[in-house]
Amino acid sequence: MNYRIVLAYCLAFIWFGLSASAQNQLFQAPALEKEDAWSLVLIPDTQSYVKFKRNQPILDLMVNWLDEHIDPLHVKLVLHVGDLVEQNGLMNPDGKVANQTGIQQWEAVARSFATIDAKVPVIATTGNHDFGIVNIENRQTSYNRYFPLEKNHHNQQMIRDVALDEDGMPTLTNATYEFTSPEGRKFLILVLEFAPREAMLQWAIETVNKDAYKNHTVILLAHSYLDRNSNHIETEGYSITDRNYGKAIWEKLVKPSKNIQLVFSGHIGAPDDKSGHVGFRTDINAGGKKVHQMTFNAQALGGGWHGNGGDGWLRLLEFQGNRVAVRTFSPLFAISPSTRHLAWGEDAFAPFSFELDE
């Protein structure tokens, strides 16, 4: 072999080794910024991880990574922004838009989160794909069957208020959970169905206005809320009639409230475009308190609508007293030295922070 070729191979090998070493040195494993802080983990739409069987291991990786970091990150809450599945009632997948039935998708996502059910509360709202056959043709959902209270004993202890469905039966698609943080701050997590019906908005405002919750910090989980420009979504083209989207939820529930300070949502996306998956804005409610409203999703990253499901992205919220530090992290990228430099979100996923009112 020509000595120039040998030299080139040697230099390339040395460069690769130095490059990998540099990347490893630059990579910072997730850790708390402040030792006495605690974390809330926000999970984006999981629908594309479970509609294709090949993507399921990525969701399992995300949840198993989370399982390993519950103690190091002091994770006390795990919240899901909805669209747990892609097709609630699908029976005949064509292999193109999905290769798992609706039941298989529900079983898959429930099985994944069972990994951490014994350790932390896992509270999810419902998205449009969690109802009907493939996309909220009606208000029927399998959510209560696959995510009952008995599945997670933390949820069972925290449940406070449950709305009634159209048949007069209690449903977890509209419910509240009470949580006390390690530093003693009382939270109420309000879960609302996708595009909530008028009666559910009325139930929600009456619930958060109870004297028992007047000193609580309320977190609202509402699947469809902000668009990519951080505007409240005014309308969408679904066939349901009694419905309220982001702007109506803001005007009828969030703004008139005195204690809703956080709103988390998902829903939006654009193929391989991080900026199409996020939104953030801060407004003032009737109590004069700041309301921080965050949309976080990732489902069309990693190959678009039929790609890998979202590149494994999670959002980590570190509560440091009134300050909340937000970072976006991918366990999928973090597991390999060759992709570790991509594991921390930048640009539209860049870290930021905000302050809660007392």
Side-chain angles (χ1 to χ4, degrees):
M1 182 180 288
N2 187 296
Y3 79 92
R4 290 189 178 89
I5 297 176
V6 173
L7 179 61
Y9 273 115
C10 291
L11 290 174
F13 180 79
I14 292 170
W15 177 88
F16 179 80
L18 290 174
S19 177
S21 176
Q23 288 177 7
N24 285 332
Q25 290 175 2
L26 290 172
F27 175 73
Q28 292 185 349
L32 290 173
E33 291 181 3
K34 294 192 174 181
E35 186 177 345
D36 59 349
W38 64 275
S39 296
L40 180 158
V41 176
L42 202 60
I43 298 180
D45 303 30
T46 51
Q47 61 205 81
S48 293
Y49 293 122
V50 297
K51 70 181 181 182
F52 293 122
K53 190 175 181 180
R54 62 180 178 267
N55 291 346
Q56 178 70 32
I58 300 176
L59 178 57
D60 292 339
L61 168 67
M62 295 161 64
V63 177
N64 279 285
W65 179 90
L66 179 53
D67 182 39
E68 294 175 357
H69 289 79
I70 286 174
D71 290 336
L73 295 179
H74 297 173
V75 177
K76 300 300 180 183
L77 272 178
V78 176
L79 303 182
H80 190 299
V81 297
D83 273 355
L84 291 110
V85 301
E86 176 77 359
Q87 297 107 348
N88 173 65
L90 182 68
M91 290 188 176
N92 56 339
D94 61 5
K96 296 180 180 178
V97 298
N99 62 12
Q100 300 237 80
T101 66
I103 290 176
Q104 289 173 320
Q105 293 178 40
W106 279 109
E107 289 176 342
V109 68
R111 185 172 59 248
S112 278
F113 288 114
T115 303
I116 55 175
D117 273 334
K119 297 185 177 181
V120 289
V122 181
I123 301 172
T125 190
T126 44
N128 46 299
H129 288 280
D130 298 325
F131 292 93
I133 303 171
V134 299
N135 201 351
I136 201 160
E137 298 85 355
N138 55 60
R139 291 279 184 178
Q140 299 299 310
T141 178
S142 294
Y143 175 76
N144 291 284
R145 175 182 174 186
Y146 289 97
F147 284 85
L149 276 177
E150 296 78 11
K151 185 176 187 297
N152 184 303
H153 72 89
H154 301 283
N155 293 20
Q156 198 168 17
Q157 293 173 350
M158 291 165 54
I159 191 77
R160 294 295 178 267
D161 309 279
V162 182
L164 302 181
D165 65 16
E166 293 172 326
D167 297 321
M169 295 299 291
T171 171
L172 295 175
T173 55
N174 296 282
T176 66
Y177 302 82
E178 189 175 24
F179 164 76
T180 302
S181 69
E183 72 269 22
R185 188 176 191 128
K186 291 187 177 296
F187 288 85
L188 188 73
I189 298 103
L190 169 62
V191 173
L192 279 184
E193 66 190 14
F194 171 75
R197 290 162 291 165
E198 201 67 33
M200 293 302 97
L201 280 186
Q202 186 60 38
W203 167 84
I205 191 67
E206 291 174 358
T207 299
V208 300
N209 282 340
K210 289 181 178 179
D211 286 342
Y213 305 135
K214 65 181 181 181
N215 294 320
H216 284 54
T217 299
V218 178
I219 301 173
L220 170 62
L221 277 178
H223 180 68
S224 173
Y225 189 74
L226 295 182
D227 64 20
R228 63 180 297 163
N229 298 312
S230 299
N231 296 317
H232 294 118
I233 295 173
E234 293 192 30
T235 188
E236 298 190 72
Y238 300 105
S239 58
I240 52 173
T241 53
D242 184 2
R243 81 276 187 183
N244 288 274
Y245 297 112
K247 186 174 182 180
I249 296 171
W250 163 255
E251 292 177 345
K252 298 177 183 180
L253 171 62
V254 183
K255 184 179 180 180
S257 77
K258 296 182 179 180
N259 50 7
I260 297 179
Q261 290 196 52
L262 291 168
V263 182
F264 297 137
S265 58
H267 187 55
I268 62 172
D272 293 313
D273 179 4
K274 290 179 182 177
S275 64
H277 287 82
V278 293
F280 185 84
R281 64 182 291 155
T282 300
D283 297 292
I284 306 297
N285 67 15
K289 294 184 177 180
K290 295 188 293 291
V291 185
H292 304 288
Q293 301 147 84
M294 179 191 302
T295 288
F296 170 62
N297 195 10
Q299 71 185 81
L301 300 177
W305 303 115
H306 305 303
N308 70 18
D311 276 345
W313 290 105
L314 298 168
R315 182 152 277 186
L316 312 177
L317 283 73
E318 181 177 328
F319 285 72
Q320 309 163 351
N322 290 340
R323 180 178 183 268
V324 182
V326 182
R327 297 176 292 171
T328 311
F329 181 79
S330 169
L332 177 64
F333 289 135
I335 60 173
S336 171
S338 62
T339 57
R340 203 163 278 165
H341 61 290
L342 302 172
W344 286 107
E346 300 176 349
D347 302 321
F349 280 3
F352 65 98
S353 66
F354 57 85
E355 297 279 339
L356 293 174
D357 288 327
E358 295 288 349

